[in-house]
Amino acid sequence: NLKLKALEAHNMNVVYCVGETLKEYEEGKTKEVLKKQVLEGIEGLSEEYISNLTIAYEPVWSIGTGKNASKEIASEMCGYIIEVIREKYGEDVAGGVYVLYGGSVKPNNIKEYLDDDNIDGALVGGASLEANSFIEMIESIED
């Protein structure tokens, strides 16, 4: 929260990443964890700043593991993040927030994530570091 406040004070945009651990996921606590992370992270920020925020749902259990959330899970959680913001700040604020999915996004799965109405984009990590992989991702979403 302090980092987000400092970024706002310096008129800097950010991708704010939220996500649960494998243990939290297995215990069915994903929504509880995401709600806490989102609300605590944006507490005290101006509604104008929040309405221009990009949030990435990036399950901790998928970072660097090659495991990814199914399209259904990613869609549900990205939609839930917007719902949390809408409940607290209203539609005008929530309507400007972009929610990305970032968790082992690769050429073979990026299109299915981007085709989902609840997912505004992808936060791509390792797969973007190799030129061929990056080109494959672009080509797969052009089809």
Side-chain angles (χ1 to χ4, degrees):
N1 178 260
L2 294 175
K3 290 176 184 178
L4 286 173
K5 286 179 178 177
L7 290 164
E8 179 182 25
H10 290 91
N11 297 315
M12 296 176 71
N13 294 327
V14 65
V15 176
Y16 176 45
C17 297
V18 297
E20 78 285 10
T21 64
L22 181 59
K23 182 175 188 253
E24 291 165 336
Y25 174 76
E26 290 173 342
E27 292 174 352
K29 295 181 178 179
T30 299
K31 286 186 175 180
E32 176 185 336
V33 170
L34 293 180
K35 184 173 187 175
K36 183 177 188 317
Q37 289 176 349
V38 169
L39 293 179
E40 287 182 4
I42 64 176
E43 181 69 32
L45 300 175
S46 72
E47 289 187 0
E48 179 182 354
Y49 190 76
I50 296 168
S51 70
N52 290 291
L53 195 60
T54 300
I55 299 175
Y57 168 56
E58 189 166 22
V60 176
W61 51 266
S62 71
I63 300 170
T65 65
K67 297 178 183 179
N68 56 299
S70 67
K71 176 189 166 192
E72 293 76 20
I73 292 170
S75 176
E76 181 181 359
M77 295 310 121
C78 289
Y80 180 70
I81 289 167
I82 289 296
E83 183 182 313
V84 166
I85 294 170
R86 185 180 294 116
E87 286 177 7
K88 174 96 176 171
Y89 297 96
E91 185 60 43
D92 288 344
V93 172
V97 176
Y98 286 95
V99 181
L100 314 178
Y101 173 70
S104 293
V105 176
K106 301 176 190 132
N108 67 338
N109 64 20
I110 190 169
K111 184 164 176 44
E112 75 175 311
Y113 292 123
L114 297 183
D115 284 346
D116 190 277
D117 291 340
N118 287 333
I119 302 172
D120 298 317
L123 180 64
V124 182
S128 68
L129 298 177
E130 292 184 29
N132 289 337
S133 174
F134 191 72
I135 290 167
E136 281 183 58
M137 282 190 288
I138 293 168
E139 289 172 346
S140 74
I141 61 176
E142 287 179 335
D143 296 336

